[in-house]
Amino acid sequence: MQNADELIAKNYRMEIVRDEAEGGYVVSFPDLPGCLSSGETIEDAIKNADEAKKLWIYAAIEDGIQIPDPDSLNEYSGQFKLRIPKSLHKSLTEHSKKEGVSMNQYCVYLLSKYDALNN
């Protein structure tokens, strides 16, 4: 049987999104499906989300639902190898020099920017 207090104490990842239609913020827990809350300010939304997480966990235990551990970044090294065309390599190198950063930093910037635009 899962212990509610231990599960509540675990660091489940929160996603905070501005609610453009209604105002305020919506907070969800990707590892706890359907567990979300909102608030007028980020602080209120987080406070409400902590309470929603507790209630969600108690209800899940009562219903016999297996609650997963929080997703961990420990299984990711932060490194991967990528083969690219020589022309792209040249272009990225030139752009990174122009910006005064390493090519690695420039590529992380580009990937982060693209990822943010698509989330």
Side-chain angles (χ1 to χ4, degrees), residues 19 23-27 36-41 44-49 52:
D19 186 343
Y25 297 86
V26 175
V27 179
L36 56 100
S37 189
S38 63
E40 291 298 316
T41 66
D44 287 342
I46 291 171
K47 180 181 173 188
N48 295 340

Side-chain angles (χ1 to χ4, degrees), residues 90-102:
K90 178 181 185 274
S91 177
L92 290 170
T93 300
E94 290 170 353
H95 284 106
S96 65
K97 285 180 182 176
K98 186 176 178 181
E99 294 295 323
V101 297
S102 71

